[in-house]
């Protein structure tokens, strides 16, 4: 119901991954929305698999990247994926330096085979973005960023000049919502909620920012 209501309200970009669940999220998207209406972009990601205890484990080999692409295709009911982000899992605590040439090359080869339209990067450092842009046409970067975590300020501005989208995950703080007196004060002045203010700040921050807040409620 939430998926259908979101699309009916004009949402045209859904962020997903077959590793969510795993498989469950993509299966729900297909059940609710397939066949997909024109203009709806499904952005998924590869680079990790779920371990037997629910851990997120790096999966960067050519065979693993290919298997994840096919898992996404199958469970979303697609012949080609709109956008695939290479999620870099070198450090579970956040971005960490290290070459992404091998997995990104594998993903680019799948793009050349017609299985992927566009490639993005996720959980990456500025150096990895620079490396990635030399290997493939990067259309978006998906990193942790919000009003309280602004470590990618310079990267956002650089990407904007190249018309590359920046997709902040956890735009409202993630599992613990953002809490700040400044947010509360601004929200009170504008008859809004603190979370609405946090999203509005992101939308004004730069024209290339595309937040992906999540919800499980129709209200």
């Amino acid at each position: 119901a939430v998926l259908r209501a979101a699309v009916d309200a004009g949402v045209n970009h859904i962020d997903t991954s077959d590793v969510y669940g795993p498989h469950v999220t993509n299966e729900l998207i297909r059940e609710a929305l397939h066949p997909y209406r024109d203009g709806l972009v499904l952005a998924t990601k590869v680079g990790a698999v779920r371990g037997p205890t629910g851990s997120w484990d790096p999966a960067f080999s050519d065979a693993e990247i290919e298997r994840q692409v096919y898992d996404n295709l199958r469970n979303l009911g697609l012949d080609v994926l709109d956008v695939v982000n290479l999620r870099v899992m070198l450090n579970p605590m956040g971005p960490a330096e290290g070459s992404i040439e091998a997995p990104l090359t594998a993903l680019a080869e799948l793009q050349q085979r017609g299985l992927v339209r566009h490639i993005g990067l996720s959980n990456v450092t500025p150096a990895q973005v620079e490396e990635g842009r030399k290997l493939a046409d990067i259309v978006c970067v998906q990193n942790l960023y919000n009003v309280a975590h602004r470590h990618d300020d310079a990267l956002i501005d650089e990407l904007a000049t190249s018309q590359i989208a920046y997709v902040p995950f956890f735009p409202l703080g993630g599992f613990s919502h953002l809490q700040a007196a400044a947010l509360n004060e601004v929200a009170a002045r504008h008859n809004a909620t603190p979370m609405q203010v946090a999203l509005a700040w992101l939308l004004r921050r730069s024209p290339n920012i595309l937040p992906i807040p999540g919800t499980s409620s129709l209200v």
Side-chain angles (χ1 to χ4, degrees):
V2 169
L3 284 163
R4 292 173 181 141
V7 173
D8 287 342
V11 169
N12 61 4
H13 169 224
I14 295 177
D15 176 78
T16 186
S17 175
D18 203 63
V19 77
Y20 296 158
H23 314 308
V24 174
T25 297
N26 280 355
E27 291 170 349
L28 285 171
I29 291 171
R30 185 189 68 223
E31 179 183 350
L33 302 177
H34 192 277
Y36 305 108
R37 66 178 60 181
D38 292 342
L40 178 64
V41 175
L42 300 179
T44 187
K45 56 189 70 67
V46 298
V49 294
R50 301 299 288 273
T53 61
S55 60
W56 290 64
D57 302 329
F60 277 173
S61 72
D62 291 6
E64 288 170 323
I65 295 293
E66 181 174 3
R67 183 164 58 249
Q68 292 168 73
V69 165
Y70 274 107
D71 285 345
N72 277 282
L73 287 168
R74 181 183 64 255
N75 290 319
L76 287 171
L78 293 170
D79 296 320
V80 57
L81 298 171
D82 293 327
V83 182
V84 177
N85 291 306
L86 176 65
R87 172 84 172 175
V88 180
M89 300 286 292
L90 299 177
N91 178 359
M93 302 305 294
E97 297 295 354
S99 177
I100 60 173
E101 179 177 1
L104 185 55
T105 299
L107 185 55
E109 289 175 353
L110 294 170
Q111 183 184 41
Q112 293 170 6
R113 286 164 50 186
L115 301 175
V116 175
R117 287 197 180 92
H118 303 289
I119 293 176
L121 299 173
S122 178
N123 200 45
V124 287
T125 67
Q128 288 165 337
V129 173
E130 182 179 0
E131 180 186 25
R133 294 183 65 186
K134 295 176 181 177
L135 299 168
D137 182 14
I138 303 300
V139 301
C140 59
V141 172
Q142 185 185 96
N143 277 358
L144 169 63
Y145 185 83
N146 54 50
V147 68
H149 298 87
R150 307 183 191 181
H151 48 281
D152 270 357
D153 274 335
L155 177 60
I156 290 171
D157 295 338
E158 178 184 345
L159 295 175
T161 63
S162 300
Q163 296 186 314
I164 296 175
Y166 184 90
V167 184
F169 67 77
F170 288 168
L172 299 178
F175 302 110
S176 298
H177 277 184
L178 297 169
Q179 295 185 12
L183 279 177
N184 294 336
E185 292 170 4
V186 173
R189 291 203 303 269
H190 292 276
N191 193 29
T193 68
M195 297 301 96
Q196 288 172 326
V197 171
L199 288 177
W201 182 88
L202 283 171
L203 292 171
R204 282 296 298 268
R205 168 62 181 80
S206 181
N208 64 325
I209 284 185
L210 180 64
I212 48 172
T215 182
S216 59
S217 172
L218 290 172
V219 295

